[in-house]
Amino acid sequence: MSSSNQHKNHSKSIPLDGIKGLVQNWKSDMMSGFLVFLLALPLSLGIAKASEFPPAMGVLTAMIGGLLVSFFAGSRLTIKGPAAGLITICAGGVIAMSELGGGDKTEGWHLILGAAVVAALIQIGFGLLKFGSLSDFFPHSAVHGMLAAIGILIFAKQFPVLLGVDPSMTKGMTPIQLYEHIPNFIANANGSIATIGLLSLLIMFILPAMGGVFKKIPAPMIVLLIAVPMAAYMGLSSVHDHSGKPFSLVKIGDFWGTLGFNASFAAIGTLTFWKFVFMFLFVNTIESLLTVKAIDGMDPYKRKSDYNKDLVAVGVGNAFSGLLGGLPMISEVARSSANVNNGGKTRWANFFHGFFLLIAMLAMIPVIEMIPNAALAAMLIFVAYRLASPKEFIGTYKIGAEQLAIFLVTIIVTVAEDLLLGVAAGILTKLIIQVVNGAPLRSLFKARYTMKEHGKHIDIQIHDAAIFSNFLGYKKLWETIPGGHHLTFDFSDCVFVDHSFMEQLHLFEEEYHSTGGEIKVVGLENFNPFSSHPAAARKKVSHT
């Protein structure tokens, strides 16, 4: 009786949803939405510009993510908007499509929007078919390697912008060539622009590191409060490139006049079109689902999101955004984390973030056009650093040397070739490692187990190998197990367990304990772990 009352009291503390949630939590959600807006406005402009889209289209994406998608999203605390993780795909798509359209970048923009819309429609289908669990198939080291590679690519593209290097100097350069020319960029830096860029970068790194109340202040807004007056004082609007167009300040132009049906499907019969459809679909879906999972872990009320519903919602948002000219959106991790930390409680925080962006685009375009591009480049370089920081490399190595190998292969192939090939190379590397360590071929994609029930006791015998590529089978099994039972996982007939499976098993243990159930793991004492990390891959000790 007392535990029942305790559960009821806990339920009362969970914020209400819908209109009742707005009435109950509008103050905290509006404040969080406003603080996230301060973060989202400059980042959305910078991401769009780096993606070869008109800068204001990044804000359009975030507006749609807040004003529309928040109403039927499957997650309550995530913020929807453009993401740094899609910059390289968008920019590469505009350039590749412009070649199909006779070298015109505006035509390339219209054509890549068509690919984004088709990807969005497939994404909606994925959600309706309940493919939300597909993110669990991809090994974490390959996904983190992909994100680190994106960080490396963003830095290569944004470093010349940070220094005010004439854009004609970097035209047509590959990422590797951009890195090779860094000394040349430093030698040809524009003093005024570089001063703003480097000071902005300093603020982005120092402010969050100061901790306390400073950690709550959106660093991008402080950057703008300093960079905009500096740009005006230095007269940066007079700095021009060879075509006579200013490249030092953000250019919005007639934003409201450009809204309309901007997507073109003229390239739908080409391989290039479909290549970018699948790149959008893959990165957008995986990054969105991983963010929802991460933010669920941060939710103080421990609410569980509906991944499939959220996938449909993001797909609908992407379709609208693509048709009107915006970038693809995802559940974005930095803004979502800020929302949780700022005290956001319901989906209305995401709505308010979109609402404040709308007000800004109605009333503040002249002010936005005073923002130096170097300040936006500094924000993106900071994002790039977080994606590819030394901590990512060290953390991966601590899990196991084989995880670092997968991570590095993914990075190298992504930077040298492209994103899809990079992830494919990472997955192939992991499969080879598993086979070399004894995983039978028959178990690579099939979960092999035996389950026996004895009343409230369930024994699950794992056979052959428990690895990322057959994990979906185990996940389906776990979803059928009722709460409150005593489970035993027996690995005595297993030869190899990988990091992805170990990590998922730990997560399942945490969730299952919350139902009042108990889990016992036996047989792993006969395995050698690849490192001291609790989720390290492990191989059975041979006694022959």
Side-chain angles (χ1 to χ4, degrees):
M1 185 72 177
S2 60
S3 66
S4 173
N5 288 336
Q6 205 173 14
H7 177 72
K8 282 178 183 174
N9 290 335
H10 178 67
S11 297
K12 282 180 185 175
S13 69
I14 295 175
L16 299 170
D17 205 358
I19 298 299
K20 289 180 180 178
L22 175 63
V23 173
Q24 183 190 56
N25 304 292
W26 69 271
K27 284 184 182 177
S28 56
D29 283 343
M30 183 183 283
M31 179 54 70
S32 182
F34 178 72
L35 292 171
V36 172
F37 148 74
L38 295 178
L39 186 68
L41 177 62
L43 281 175
S44 297
L45 291 166
I47 289 167
K49 191 172 186 308
S51 300
E52 302 285 352
F53 276 53
M57 292 305 163
V59 184
L60 171 68
T61 304
M63 280 164 48
I64 293 171
L67 296 173
L68 173 67
V69 178
S70 58
F71 284 106
F72 49 100
S75 54
R76 298 162 187 84
L77 295 177
T78 53
I79 302 295
K80 315 297 187 188
L86 290 163
I87 287 175
T88 53
I89 303 174
C90 291
V94 170
I95 292 164
M97 292 296 190
S98 66
E99 290 170 2
L100 295 178
D104 181 2
K105 273 196 178 180
T106 302
E107 183 61 22
W109 169 54
H110 289 301
L111 290 170
I112 200 63
L113 289 173
V117 171
V118 172
L121 296 176
I122 299 172
Q123 193 172 42
I124 293 169
F126 275 12
L128 293 173
L129 292 169
K130 304 198 182 303
F131 284 1
S133 60
L134 273 179
S135 63
D136 293 321
F137 172 81
F138 297 94
H140 290 185
S141 297
V143 172
H144 287 297
M146 173 192 80
L147 294 173
I150 288 168
I152 291 166
L153 293 169
I154 290 170
F155 178 85
K157 294 280 188 183
Q158 293 304 305
F159 186 71
V161 181
L162 183 87
L163 300 180
V165 173
D166 192 316
S168 63
M169 286 185 63
T170 62
K171 193 173 182 181
M173 284 189 183
T174 65
I176 293 170
Q177 288 171 332
L178 287 168
Y179 274 102
E180 290 171 350
H181 282 77
I182 282 177
N184 194 31
F185 298 149
I186 294 170
N188 287 278
N190 178 296
S192 300
I193 296 174
T195 300
I196 291 174
L198 292 171
L199 180 59
S200 300
L201 193 61
L202 206 59
I203 294 167
M204 289 299 299
F205 275 92
I206 289 176
L207 197 65
M210 290 172 73
V213 69
F214 295 101
K215 203 170 184 179
K216 292 265 186 182
I217 301 170
M221 261 299 128
I222 302 301
V223 166
L224 296 191
L225 288 173
I226 293 171
V228 169
M230 282 182 71
Y233 176 76
M234 293 174 176
L236 288 191
S237 58
S238 63
V239 181
H240 293 73
D241 65 12
H242 296 313
S243 65
K245 295 176 182 175
F247 64 83
S248 59
L249 301 181
V250 169
K251 185 66 180 169
I252 301 295
D254 183 15
F255 169 64
W256 296 103
T258 57
L259 288 184
F261 191 86
N262 280 308
S264 169
F265 300 92
I268 200 166
T270 66
L271 282 175
T272 303
F273 183 94
W274 287 100
K275 174 188 170 182
F276 283 98
V277 166
F278 287 114
M279 287 175 87
F280 278 136
L281 183 65
F282 172 71
V283 179
N284 193 298
T285 300
I286 296 301
E287 209 175 336
S288 268
L289 292 171
L290 290 176
T291 297
V292 172
K293 186 183 289 186
I295 300 304
D296 274 1
M298 293 176 67
D299 184 356
Y301 302 99
K302 301 301 174 193
R303 291 166 291 188
K304 293 296 169 195
S305 297
D306 183 334
Y307 289 11
N308 297 306
K309 185 180 177 184
D310 206 66
L311 204 52
V312 171
V314 170
V316 170
N318 280 329
F320 273 96
S321 181
L323 287 171
L324 295 175
L327 288 86
M329 74 180 68
I330 67 162
S331 299
E332 204 281 327
V333 69
R335 276 156 265 166
S336 300
S337 301
N339 182 36
V340 177
N341 294 330
N342 292 331
K345 292 182 179 176
T346 74
R347 64 185 70 242
W348 289 101
N350 185 32
F351 173 84
F352 281 121
H353 128 270
F355 173 75
F356 287 120
L357 287 169
L358 173 63
I359 298 300
M361 295 309 289
L362 287 169
M364 291 174 58
I365 286 178
V367 178
I368 292 169
E369 289 191 318
M370 296 170 70
I371 298 172
N373 287 323
L376 299 181
M379 297 174 201
L380 292 177
I381 287 173
F382 179 70
V383 171
Y385 173 79
R386 292 179 67 174
L387 289 172
S389 71
K391 198 162 65 175
E392 290 292 326
F393 290 76
I394 294 165
T396 304
Y397 175 71
K398 282 182 177 177
I399 297 169
E402 91 291 355
Q403 296 302 310
L404 183 63
I406 297 159
F407 184 77
L408 291 174
V409 165
T410 306
I411 290 173
I412 292 165
V413 177
T414 299
V415 172
E417 295 296 333
D418 68 35
L419 193 142
L420 284 181
L421 278 177
V423 174
I427 291 172
L428 182 61
T429 302
K430 181 142 191 175
L431 286 170
I432 291 168
I433 288 169
Q434 289 173 167
V435 172
V436 167
N437 280 287
L441 293 176
R442 67 188 177 198
S443 68
L444 283 186
F445 301 100
K446 182 176 173 59
R448 295 174 57 80
Y449 59 86
T450 307
M451 186 169 79
K452 294 177 181 175
E453 295 186 47
H454 317 279
K456 280 277 188 178
H457 294 266
I458 300 176
D459 296 327
I460 300 167
Q461 177 94 35
I462 310 290
H463 304 297
D464 293 341
I467 50 182
F468 84 96
S469 52
N470 66 20
F471 172 69
L472 290 179
Y474 288 107
K475 185 169 184 177
K476 285 179 184 173
L477 166 69
W478 294 350
E479 287 170 352
T480 64
I481 297 173
H485 283 53
H486 299 272
L487 309 184
T488 299
F489 285 95
D490 186 351
F491 289 88
S492 57
D493 193 39
C494 187
V495 293
F496 183 71
V497 184
D498 80 349
H499 160 62
S500 296
F501 186 91
M502 287 300 301
E503 197 160 62
Q504 294 290 351
L505 181 60
H506 289 318
L507 289 172
F508 177 65
E509 282 187 87
E510 284 178 24
E511 289 178 13
Y512 199 72
H513 285 147
S514 68
T515 70
E518 290 181 18
I519 291 181
K520 183 180 178 184
V521 176
V522 298
L524 285 181
E525 62 275 6
N526 298 318
F527 284 67
N528 268 342
F530 288 7
S531 76
S532 59
H533 193 281
R538 51 206 69 211
K539 182 180 180 181
K540 195 169 190 178
V541 180
S542 175
H543 295 291
T544 55

